Amino acid sequence: MKKVLGIIAEYNPFHNGHLYHLENSKKATNCDYSVAIISGNFTQRGSTSIVDKWEKTKMALSNGIDLVLELPTLYSISSAENFADGSIKILNSLGIIDFLSFGSETSDINLLNNIADILYNEPNTYKKALIEELKKGFSFPKARENALLNYLNNKNYSNILSSPNNILGIEYLKSLKKHKSKIQPIYISRHKAHYNSTDIYNNIASATAIRKLLKNKDFNKIKNLLPNSTYSILMENINNKHIIGDLDIFEKEILYTLRKMSIEEIAKLPDVSEGLEFTIKNAANSCNNIYDLLNTIKSKRYTQSRIQRVLLYSLLGITKNDIKISKDIIPYVRILGFNNYGRKLISEIYRKNPDINIITSVKRFVDTNTNKDLELLLKKDIFSTNIYTLGFEGSSLSNLDFTNNIVKI
């Protein structure tokens, strides 16, 4: 078997920076095949994908990915830790992945690896420092950053934990250690545009900048920032009115849900603690749009991304117990699409692990599966798609997970 590259991504949408990362990852690893695990219709920052997961799959396959798998919703909208761990568990279960490549804002993977070691082993001195920082009222990411800097006492680590890509990279490394994985990690330095940057550098911009241009309907600029195939797919979805720009599309549904929920029900949402449920309930009762809602709830301790994830949890009916289950299991392998090389990879996966839970037909899996935890995982995916399509201005059919075919190129 030739070497296989693994990539974890959101591709929201697949842009020239992603193409740069993919091509340079293939060169760095000398891999012949590539597998991408992508988030589905909702994303880790607590927002929406601008096109659905099948359209993102088309983008990935048309730009050089051979096999596209879905990261189940319980992971894709979870914390960086669970997002990364769910992805690594899937890659590990395949038994064919040789390398994992991720983007990074640092040029030294050893710095990321050293931090991953600390987070994996959790020495007492670090844990005490983290508790002290949390007592000061900082959000968990900021408290962790401060505690690590105090523990490491090295200026080279400054600002590493302020970058979302570095944070995810560290979580990937930590998860690889946790599962004693043989997958070899490599990193590709982000090319020009950093995560969340709205700057444009010739034909490179972040997905954040592209989504902003899309909201402003600046299609001429967008065209220069995307591979031709991505642009065509994007324009087709715009013409079909199957674009969802942001979470605000669902603001009335979210407000309705939160007003309907009791304090006790809100308290059972993941990431809700220390009386946050009262703040959320009061805000939902007094706010009429999502922007006021977010501004009323967020604080020094609770970041906007965390609050957005909480809003998504309420919309999708996800509880703390659901997330706990996701952490305790090995998820299924849901195939979204493949090309001819990907077809070979699927055969090799079955050969390496005949007992693996692979979903090629949702109906068949629903009819034959006896694992209650995997049933929960899939139910959340199906429901998430049904909610997502409500945001379409065009046709918004439900049960697309049953009726949409695997994408084949």
Side-chain angles (χ1 to χ4, degrees):
M1 181 69 182
K2 295 181 179 180
K3 297 294 183 184
V4 183
L5 169 71
I7 289 176
I8 302 164
E10 293 195 310
Y11 293 156
N12 189 28
F14 190 107
H15 53 65
N16 289 339
H18 292 132
L19 185 61
Y20 173 89
H21 173 258
L22 175 59
E23 290 177 343
N24 280 276
S25 297
K26 287 181 177 179
K27 288 177 185 176
T29 59
N30 198 29
C31 282
D32 299 279
Y33 301 104
S34 58
V35 177
I37 295 181
I38 67 169
S39 57
N41 298 321
F42 296 95
T43 66
Q44 200 270 327
R45 67 189 180 97
S47 191
T48 59
S49 175
I50 59 171
V51 293
D52 70 42
K53 57 194 177 187
W54 294 278
E55 298 303 301
K56 289 198 294 185
T57 298
K58 292 176 187 177
M59 292 176 182
L61 292 174
S62 62
N63 284 288
I65 295 290
D66 299 314
L67 175 62
V68 180
L69 311 176
E70 180 180 3
L71 180 62
T73 304
L74 288 182
Y75 303 103
S76 71
I77 65 170
S78 192
S79 65
E81 180 180 37
N82 204 36
F83 177 97
D85 200 51
S87 303
I88 295 299
K89 285 190 289 190
I90 293 173
L91 285 178
N92 253 350
S93 70
L94 301 179
I96 63 166
I97 304 298
D98 298 290
F99 298 94
L100 168 69
S101 177
F102 57 88
S104 172
E105 261 92 24
T106 180
S107 58
D108 188 351
I109 196 172
N110 290 322
L111 297 179
L112 301 182
N113 200 45
N114 290 342
I115 294 173
D117 276 333
I118 295 167
L119 297 180
Y120 174 59
N121 294 306
E122 291 193 315
N124 285 332
T125 308
Y126 159 72
K127 286 198 288 188
K128 288 178 182 176
L130 177 60
I131 291 169
E132 290 303 314
E133 292 300 320
L134 287 170
K135 284 180 180 177
K136 295 176 184 177
F138 290 114
S139 66
F140 181 80
K142 188 61 181 176
R144 188 171 74 167
E145 180 182 356
N146 292 344
L148 283 166
L149 290 175
N150 289 335
Y151 181 83
L152 291 162
N153 194 26
N154 186 329
K155 290 182 179 179
N156 289 335
Y157 292 92
S158 298
N159 299 321
I160 284 181
L161 286 161
S162 62
S163 161
N165 279 292
N166 288 343
I167 290 170
L168 277 174
I170 290 164
E171 293 295 347
Y172 296 146
L173 294 171
K174 186 178 81 174
S175 185
L176 289 171
K177 296 174 191 294
K178 173 183 172 183
H179 298 290
K180 296 177 173 53
S181 176
K182 295 180 181 179
I183 298 172
Q184 182 179 335
I186 70 158
Y187 75 96
I188 303 294
S189 293
R190 274 186 77 90
H191 186 54
K192 297 178 182 177
H194 286 192
Y195 183 95
N196 275 343
S197 168
T198 55
D199 296 329
I200 297 173
Y201 303 87
N202 296 323
N203 68 337
I204 298 288
S206 70
T208 302
I210 292 167
R211 289 193 297 271
K212 186 176 180 182
L213 291 171
L214 185 63
K215 213 165 191 176
N216 295 331
K217 298 184 178 180
D218 201 337
F219 300 123
N220 287 331
K221 283 185 180 177
I222 291 173
K223 187 172 186 180
N224 189 46
L225 302 170
L226 305 175
N228 290 336
S229 57
T230 295
Y231 184 74
S232 297
I233 293 166
L234 194 60
M235 293 309 295
E236 182 181 352
N237 278 270
I238 289 170
N239 292 334
N240 291 336
K241 297 183 178 180
H242 281 181
I243 291 284
I244 299 185
D246 214 335
L247 192 61
D248 60 0
I249 295 291
F250 299 104
E251 67 179 5
K252 293 303 181 186
E253 289 86 347
I254 289 169
L255 285 166
Y256 163 79
T257 301
L258 290 173
R259 289 184 179 186
K260 185 180 179 183
M261 292 175 77
S262 67
I263 293 287
E264 292 74 22
E265 288 171 328
I266 295 174
K268 291 179 182 178
L269 297 175
D271 284 346
V272 173
S273 60
E274 300 170 317
L276 182 62
E277 60 269 26
F278 295 100
T279 303
I280 292 173
K281 186 65 173 179
N282 290 335
N285 287 338
S286 62
C287 296
N288 289 317
N289 62 70
I290 199 167
Y291 302 107
D292 289 343
L293 186 67
L294 286 168
N295 288 327
T296 302
I297 299 170
K298 71 179 182 181
S299 64
K300 182 180 178 181
R301 183 179 284 275
Y302 301 105
T303 64
Q304 180 164 321
S305 291
R306 179 174 173 178
I307 298 303
Q308 286 185 184
R309 285 197 295 272
V310 171
L311 300 186
L312 265 186
Y313 294 141
S314 70
L315 179 67
L316 302 178
I318 293 171
T319 66
K320 288 174 179 171
N321 190 55
D322 296 334
I323 296 296
K324 181 182 182 301
I325 289 171
S326 76
K327 291 180 178 180
D328 293 339
I329 64 172
I330 304 297
Y332 46 69
V333 176
R334 169 83 183 274
I335 296 175
L336 290 177
F338 57 83
N339 59 19
N340 286 334
Y341 290 125
R343 192 187 301 272
K344 293 178 183 177
L345 290 176
I346 295 168
S347 297
E348 186 65 14
I349 291 166
Y350 275 120
R351 190 184 73 79
K352 288 265 188 173
N353 186 359
D355 297 325
I356 193 169
N357 288 296
I358 294 185
I359 299 179
T360 54
S361 163
V362 169
K363 185 179 187 308
R364 189 185 311 128
F365 190 82
V366 168
D367 290 343
T368 59
N369 171 60
T370 58
N371 185 311
K372 294 295 183 184
D373 293 336
L374 296 183
E375 180 185 350
L376 169 72
L377 221 61
L378 186 58
K379 278 184 175 179
K380 295 301 179 184
D381 285 352
I382 294 167
F383 183 65
S384 295
T385 302
N386 290 344
I387 295 297
Y388 179 83
T389 58
L390 288 175
F392 290 163
E393 287 185 31
S395 60
S396 55
L397 300 175
S398 66
N399 290 326
L400 295 186
D401 286 280
F402 292 94
T403 58
N404 273 8
N405 294 321
I406 289 175
V407 179
K408 299 172 186 177
I409 291 185

